[in-house]
PDB file of all heavy atoms in Angstrom:
ATOM      1  N   VAL A 161     -13.554  40.522 -49.554  1.00  0.00           N
ATOM      2  CA  VAL A 161     -13.633  40.131 -48.142  1.00  0.00           C
ATOM      3  C   VAL A 161     -14.330  38.779 -48.009  1.00  0.00           C
ATOM      4  O   VAL A 161     -13.870  37.882 -47.299  1.00  0.00           O
ATOM      5  CB  VAL A 161     -14.389  41.207 -47.332  1.00  0.00           C
ATOM      6  CG1 VAL A 161     -14.567  40.749 -45.884  1.00  0.00           C
ATOM      7  CG2 VAL A 161     -13.646  42.518 -47.385  1.00  0.00           C
ATOM      8  N   VAL A 162     -15.453  38.646 -48.711  1.00  0.00           N
ATOM      9  CA  VAL A 162     -16.233  37.409 -48.625  1.00  0.00           C
ATOM     10  C   VAL A 162     -15.425  36.221 -49.134  1.00  0.00           C
ATOM     11  O   VAL A 162     -15.379  35.156 -48.498  1.00  0.00           O
ATOM     12  CB  VAL A 162     -17.555  37.561 -49.411  1.00  0.00           C
ATOM     13  CG1 VAL A 162     -18.205  36.207 -49.635  1.00  0.00           C
ATOM     14  CG2 VAL A 162     -18.497  38.484 -48.672  1.00  0.00           C
ATOM     15  N   LEU A 163     -14.772  36.362 -50.283  1.00  0.00           N
ATOM     16  CA  LEU A 163     -13.986  35.261 -50.849  1.00  0.00           C
ATOM     17  C   LEU A 163     -12.871  34.843 -49.894  1.00  0.00           C
ATOM     18  O   LEU A 163     -12.642  33.652 -49.666  1.00  0.00           O
ATOM     19  CB  LEU A 163     -13.403  35.669 -52.199  1.00  0.00           C
ATOM     20  CG  LEU A 163     -14.408  35.782 -53.350  1.00  0.00           C
ATOM     21  CD1 LEU A 163     -13.765  36.445 -54.560  1.00  0.00           C
ATOM     22  CD2 LEU A 163     -14.937  34.413 -53.738  1.00  0.00           C
ATOM     23  N   THR A 164     -12.183  35.826 -49.322  1.00  0.00           N
ATOM     24  CA  THR A 164     -11.079  35.519 -48.410  1.00  0.00           C
ATOM     25  C   THR A 164     -11.583  34.836 -47.145  1.00  0.00           C
ATOM     26  O   THR A 164     -11.046  33.804 -46.709  1.00  0.00           O
ATOM     27  CB  THR A 164     -10.327  36.813 -48.034  1.00  0.00           C
ATOM     28  OG1 THR A 164      -9.870  37.452 -49.220  1.00  0.00           O
ATOM     29  CG2 THR A 164      -9.143  36.508 -47.139  1.00  0.00           C
ATOM     30  N   VAL A 165     -12.638  35.387 -46.552  1.00  0.00           N
ATOM     31  CA  VAL A 165     -13.164  34.833 -45.304  1.00  0.00           C
ATOM     32  C   VAL A 165     -13.738  33.440 -45.523  1.00  0.00           C
ATOM     33  O   VAL A 165     -13.506  32.521 -44.718  1.00  0.00           O
ATOM     34  CB  VAL A 165     -14.234  35.777 -44.716  1.00  0.00           C
ATOM     35  CG1 VAL A 165     -14.964  35.097 -43.558  1.00  0.00           C
ATOM     36  CG2 VAL A 165     -13.590  37.066 -44.243  1.00  0.00           C
ATOM     37  N   PHE A 166     -14.473  33.243 -46.632  1.00  0.00           N
ATOM     38  CA  PHE A 166     -15.080  31.943 -46.882  1.00  0.00           C
ATOM     39  C   PHE A 166     -14.016  30.865 -47.077  1.00  0.00           C
ATOM     40  O   PHE A 166     -14.167  29.745 -46.583  1.00  0.00           O
ATOM     41  CB  PHE A 166     -15.991  32.009 -48.115  1.00  0.00           C
ATOM     42  CG  PHE A 166     -17.392  32.453 -47.820  1.00  0.00           C
ATOM     43  CD1 PHE A 166     -17.624  33.595 -47.077  1.00  0.00           C
ATOM     44  CD2 PHE A 166     -18.484  31.740 -48.279  1.00  0.00           C
ATOM     45  CE1 PHE A 166     -18.909  34.025 -46.797  1.00  0.00           C
ATOM     46  CE2 PHE A 166     -19.780  32.147 -47.999  1.00  0.00           C
ATOM     47  CZ  PHE A 166     -19.992  33.294 -47.254  1.00  0.00           C
ATOM     48  N   MET A 167     -12.950  31.185 -47.789  1.00  0.00           N
ATOM     49  CA  MET A 167     -11.890  30.190 -48.003  1.00  0.00           C
ATOM     50  C   MET A 167     -11.158  29.881 -46.697  1.00  0.00           C
ATOM     51  O   MET A 167     -10.864  28.724 -46.387  1.00  0.00           O
ATOM     52  CB  MET A 167     -10.892  30.682 -49.057  1.00  0.00           C
ATOM     53  CG  MET A 167     -11.449  30.752 -50.468  1.00  0.00           C
ATOM     54  SD  MET A 167     -12.010  29.150 -51.121  1.00  0.00           S
ATOM     55  CE  MET A 167     -13.785  29.334 -50.958  1.00  0.00           C
ATOM     56  N   ALA A 168     -10.878  30.917 -45.912  1.00  0.00           N
ATOM     57  CA  ALA A 168     -10.184  30.698 -44.629  1.00  0.00           C
ATOM     58  C   ALA A 168     -11.063  29.910 -43.668  1.00  0.00           C
ATOM     59  O   ALA A 168     -10.611  28.953 -43.029  1.00  0.00           O
ATOM     60  CB  ALA A 168      -9.794  32.044 -44.023  1.00  0.00           C
ATOM     61  N   MET A 169     -12.326  30.304 -43.567  1.00  0.00           N
ATOM     62  CA  MET A 169     -13.244  29.582 -42.689  1.00  0.00           C
ATOM     63  C   MET A 169     -13.496  28.166 -43.202  1.00  0.00           C
ATOM     64  O   MET A 169     -13.666  27.228 -42.418  1.00  0.00           O
ATOM     65  CB  MET A 169     -14.566  30.339 -42.583  1.00  0.00           C
ATOM     66  CG  MET A 169     -14.480  31.648 -41.817  1.00  0.00           C
ATOM     67  SD  MET A 169     -14.079  31.410 -40.083  1.00  0.00           S
ATOM     68  CE  MET A 169     -15.559  30.597 -39.483  1.00  0.00           C
ATOM     69  N   GLY A 170     -13.516  28.011 -44.534  1.00  0.00           N
ATOM     70  CA  GLY A 170     -13.687  26.674 -45.111  1.00  0.00           C
ATOM     71  C   GLY A 170     -12.546  25.755 -44.734  1.00  0.00           C
ATOM     72  O   GLY A 170     -12.754  24.591 -44.369  1.00  0.00           O
ATOM     73  N   ALA A 171     -11.313  26.273 -44.820  1.00  0.00           N
ATOM     74  CA  ALA A 171     -10.149  25.469 -44.426  1.00  0.00           C
ATOM     75  C   ALA A 171     -10.228  25.099 -42.945  1.00  0.00           C
ATOM     76  O   ALA A 171      -9.881  23.980 -42.553  1.00  0.00           O
ATOM     77  CB  ALA A 171      -8.863  26.243 -44.715  1.00  0.00           C
ATOM     78  N   TRP A 172     -10.709  26.028 -42.131  1.00  0.00           N
ATOM     79  CA  TRP A 172     -10.850  25.748 -40.687  1.00  0.00           C
ATOM     80  C   TRP A 172     -11.919  24.682 -40.450  1.00  0.00           C
ATOM     81  O   TRP A 172     -11.710  23.763 -39.652  1.00  0.00           O
ATOM     82  CB  TRP A 172     -11.204  27.036 -39.966  1.00  0.00           C
ATOM     83  CG  TRP A 172     -11.548  26.829 -38.518  1.00  0.00           C
ATOM     84  CD1 TRP A 172     -10.694  26.528 -37.501  1.00  0.00           C
ATOM     85  CD2 TRP A 172     -12.871  26.891 -37.941  1.00  0.00           C
ATOM     86  NE1 TRP A 172     -11.398  26.401 -36.317  1.00  0.00           N
ATOM     87  CE2 TRP A 172     -12.728  26.620 -36.553  1.00  0.00           C
ATOM     88  CE3 TRP A 172     -14.138  27.157 -38.444  1.00  0.00           C
ATOM     89  CZ2 TRP A 172     -13.817  26.600 -35.696  1.00  0.00           C
ATOM     90  CZ3 TRP A 172     -15.212  27.136 -37.578  1.00  0.00           C
ATOM     91  CH2 TRP A 172     -15.054  26.870 -36.224  1.00  0.00           C
ATOM     92  N   ARG A 173     -13.042  24.799 -41.140  1.00  0.00           N
ATOM     93  CA  ARG A 173     -14.110  23.812 -40.956  1.00  0.00           C
ATOM     94  C   ARG A 173     -13.662  22.431 -41.426  1.00  0.00           C
ATOM     95  O   ARG A 173     -13.969  21.420 -40.794  1.00  0.00           O
ATOM     96  CB  ARG A 173     -15.373  24.251 -41.702  1.00  0.00           C
ATOM     97  CG  ARG A 173     -16.055  25.459 -41.090  1.00  0.00           C
ATOM     98  CD  ARG A 173     -17.385  25.751 -41.754  1.00  0.00           C
ATOM     99  NE  ARG A 173     -17.965  26.989 -41.248  1.00  0.00           N
ATOM    100  CZ  ARG A 173     -18.636  27.087 -40.094  1.00  0.00           C
ATOM    101  NH1 ARG A 173     -18.808  26.004 -39.355  1.00  0.00           N
ATOM    102  NH2 ARG A 173     -19.128  28.246 -39.701  1.00  0.00           N
TER     103      ARG A 173
END
Side-chain angles (χ1 to χ4, degrees):
V161 176
V162 166
L163 288 169
T164 303
V165 170
F166 273 50
M167 291 299 103
M169 290 295 292
W172 172 73
R173 290 187 186 279

